Amino acid sequence: MIARRTTGILLAVGILVTTFLAGAASPPAHAADTGNAAPQTGRIVDDDPVGFTPHVMDGAVYSMTRVGDTVIVGGSFTRVRNAGSATDIPRTNLFAFNAFSGQVSTTFVPNPNGRVYTLEPASDGTSVYIGGAFTSARSGGTSVSVSRLYKADVATGTRNPTFRPGTIDGQVRDVSVTGNRLWVAGKFTYLQGQPSRALGALDATTGARDPYYTAVVAGVHRGSYTNVQKIATDPTNSRLVLIGNFDTVNGIHRHQFAVLDISGPSLSIAPYYTRQFESACSSSFETYLTDVEFSPDGSFFVVSTTGAYGGYTSSVAGTSGCDVVARFETGATGTDVRPSWTAYTGGDTTWTVEVTDDVVYTGGHMRWQNNPTRGDAAGQGAVSRPGIAALDVANGMPYSWNPTRTLGAGVRDMIATPEGLFVGSDTDTFAGETHRKVAFVPLASGTAVPARQVGTLPGEVYRVASGGSQLQHLGFDGTTATAPTDAPNGTGWGTTVGAFMVNGDLYTAYANRTLTRRTFDGTAYGPESTVNTADRIVLQSDWHTADIPAITSLFYDRGWIYFTKSGSTQLFRRAFEAESGVVGQQRFAVSSVAGVSYGSMRGAFVANGKLWFALSNGSLNRADWTPTGAVAGTATQIAPSGSGWSSRALFLYQARP
């Protein structure tokens, strides 16, 4: 069963009151959260939608999910059509269609009388939880009272009479199933007649209040009433992340963002907080956080926001929480956890994220990706990705996937299934074709994600001596090296400032401010092309002018370019997407650590989890390595001063997988 919780719109001001919920109970046995995306390992979906999806003729889609072969769609609309048909089918705020034929269900006709914000499959595989702003729906041919949350059979639309959540005094914005527990979030103060402001838990079978939830969410970022916009639970049901306009949880400062530990017999506040979302952002929003989703393996989660441009300094530094998509590691702890990466749009909203093994799909009304330096305009690094994008989970850089869509308010929800990606929005054009509010792009005809190889030894090392112009190669096992011999020079190495290899492609930086790419098999070179994807809108001069000519060492590891510069004692890094050729506009710096002098580094590569680096004195050294730099106190000399390792280019050969 593949599904996903809704990505709703931002919470508007509503009716909420401060209350308290107490009690405790043992958590249910761990079971897979029904809201996780399909892994889709190693592939990006096609950019050409299929032709069979139905059309939503008015309004907007806010939520989608899938139960078996049926896709359920919620939002604010009154009419739908089958593909290729000119006949409208009355459907108010909710309908279903076959995931493989696209035909609209003739038996699932609940027609709730208010907007549907969230949909979540039940664990029985035949029914769905429906939440929103409604108070009634049709069941068995008659109208029945359903207060903002109920459970319905997917085949017939009939309300499940066993699940009775009672009266909920405000909108339900999100739900999540963990075992036999249903987490409920939104704009309410009571669940089952008990105080439970903005978040609570119910028995997933009966709808009765679950006393396991004991927390009190309070305060506001902006607005008059506390609310929770979105929730996400990891696949092991040990963590629950909530986002919204709140300020505290159980009196502990948790501004707009909190992580709950739900792994034990009683709930607790996890020792996990970030100040990323303490940015002011636009005063137009009660909360500027819009979505949160875990990766399929639960090792990280991704948060998206709105809020307008957060400013040059904080966006380039990655500290602004405004109009950003950010990755956080689940296993981190602390009072100011920093994201692994931040991807800025330049002042445009991302409403929804869908996370697979290799891709973070983002949807909204954004125009660009990799755009931290300008607000409401394309700056250095910006690449065009209208309305939808696919980011690399390793670095947040956009893949070349770029179907484009009419912007509107934006994409509100997406579902990653084993067969592809369903997209729901408020506009009618996707990839230049008419797909009103709903589109599906298949996985099988998509493209493979480049292999994520890491350097290993023993291997073949190539180098060009500092001040030299001849490429040489030698065998190296981490301790000893064979005698170097001349290698074919190709177009020459006399003006290079560094080089690295990724999947059989050789990347070479030159003193003339360019980075090039060509295939290299150890003997023959392919045609050389300039890596300039991000220059096609605005020249990325910070990279070409300020960085490349000053490089003294250059190497690559797992989605990032690392380099040292003349006159600096720091190690710098930029994200780099080899698949699309996008160089990250954000540049991060790490100061030298004990035993590793970045100011003296002259050539380096990463292999076997270690950094191997040459110094200007000709020595070769090794240190333990992390993505943010060498580990202090771990440096070991492998070859002494004067042994000839100082290089203008030093790289480990990596064959095409």
Side-chain angles (χ1 to χ4, degrees), residues 307-362:
Y309 183 55
Y312 177 92
T313 301
S314 58
S315 296
V316 169
T319 58
S320 171
C322 314
D323 280 325
V324 68
V325 173
R327 168 176 166 162
F328 293 87
E329 305 308 308
T330 306
T333 59
T335 57
D336 187 18
V337 176
R338 302 302 308 143
S340 303
W341 50 255
T342 49
Y344 291 93
T345 63
D348 287 337
T349 298
T350 302
W351 290 117
T352 178
V353 290
E354 184 75 336
V355 185
T356 67
D357 278 350
D358 298 289
V359 183
V360 177
Y361 293 100
T362 69

Side-chain angles (χ1 to χ4, degrees), residues 308-309 323 343-351 362-371 374-379 381-389 391 398 401-411 537:
Y309 183 55
D323 280 325
Y344 291 93
T345 63
D348 287 337
T349 298
T350 302
W351 290 117
T362 69
H365 59 250
M366 62 279 191
R367 289 163 285 180
W368 307 283
Q369 295 294 327
N370 191 36
N371 191 32
R374 294 287 301 276
D376 205 35
V383 293
S384 177
R385 296 292 186 271
I388 194 167
L391 310 183
W401 187 78
N402 187 24
T404 76
R405 46 170 300 280
T406 304
L407 297 180
V411 173
I537 300 177

Side-chain angles (χ1 to χ4, degrees), residues 141 162 254 298 447:
T162 302
R254 290 291 187 267
T447 59

Side-chain angles (χ1 to χ4, degrees), residues 151-457:
K151 183 180 180 182
D153 183 87
V154 170
T156 65
T158 303
R159 180 189 58 160
N160 184 312
T162 302
F163 180 76
R164 307 182 76 82
T167 298
I168 301 174
D169 66 337
Q171 298 171 355
V172 171
R173 290 303 182 99
D174 204 7
V175 297
S176 179
V177 175
T178 59
N180 196 43
R181 179 170 293 135
L182 179 69
W183 296 91
V184 185
K187 289 178 76 82
F188 51 79
T189 58
Y190 284 81
L191 288 178
Q192 279 286 355
Q194 298 285 339
S196 190
R197 184 195 313 148
L199 182 66
L202 301 173
D203 185 292
T205 300
T206 67
R209 173 181 169 270
D210 184 340
Y212 178 74
Y213 176 73
T214 59
V216 177
V217 180
V220 295
H221 169 71
R222 287 195 178 92
S224 303
Y225 307 102
T226 304
N227 49 60
V228 172
Q229 163 81 348
K230 286 284 296 175
I231 54 177
T233 49
D234 72 336
T236 64
N237 298 337
S238 61
R239 291 289 185 271
L240 183 148
V241 181
L242 56 148
I243 60 175
N245 82 329
F246 54 87
D247 186 57
T248 64
V249 180
N250 283 358
I252 301 171
H253 183 61
R254 290 291 187 267
H255 195 73
Q256 299 193 99
F257 167 92
V259 181
L260 304 183
D261 185 337
I262 58 173
S263 63
S266 61
L267 175 147
S268 63
I269 312 303
Y272 194 119
Y273 182 63
T274 179
R275 297 185 62 189
Q276 189 78 27
F277 307 117
E278 293 184 359
S279 307
C281 299
S282 171
S283 60
S284 300
F285 305 101
E286 284 190 333
T287 175
Y288 53 81
L289 279 73
T290 59
D291 198 11
V292 56
E293 290 294 334
F294 274 94
S295 62
D297 67 0
S299 63
F300 67 92
F301 57 89
V302 176
V303 178
S304 62
T305 75
T306 183
Y309 183 55
Y312 177 92
T313 301
S314 58
S315 296
V316 169
T319 58
S320 171
C322 314
D323 280 325
V324 68
V325 173
R327 168 176 166 162
F328 293 87
E329 305 308 308
T330 306
T333 59
T335 57
D336 187 18
V337 176
R338 302 302 308 143
S340 303
W341 50 255
T342 49
Y344 291 93
T345 63
D348 287 337
T349 298
T350 302
W351 290 117
T352 178
V353 290
E354 184 75 336
V355 185
T356 67
D357 278 350
D358 298 289
V359 183
V360 177
Y361 293 100
T362 69
H365 59 250
M366 62 279 191
R367 289 163 285 180
W368 307 283
Q369 295 294 327
N370 191 36
N371 191 32
T373 65
R374 294 287 301 276
D376 205 35
Q380 289 188 46
V383 293
S384 177
R385 296 292 186 271
I388 194 167
L391 310 183
D392 189 335
V393 297
N395 55 23
M397 288 296 98
Y399 288 113
S400 57
W401 187 78
N402 187 24
T404 76
R405 46 170 300 280
T406 304
L407 297 180
V411 173
R412 299 292 194 175
D413 202 12
M414 294 180 285
I415 316 169
T417 73
E419 294 79 27
L421 184 74
F422 288 94
V423 181
S425 71
D426 65 335
T427 56
D428 297 347
T429 304
F430 190 106
E433 303 171 1
T434 299
H435 298 274
R436 293 184 175 92
K437 319 300 189 298
V438 176
F440 174 74
V441 277
L443 184 64
S445 54
T447 59
V449 173
R452 300 184 187 277
Q453 296 192 91
V454 294
T456 58
L457 294 175

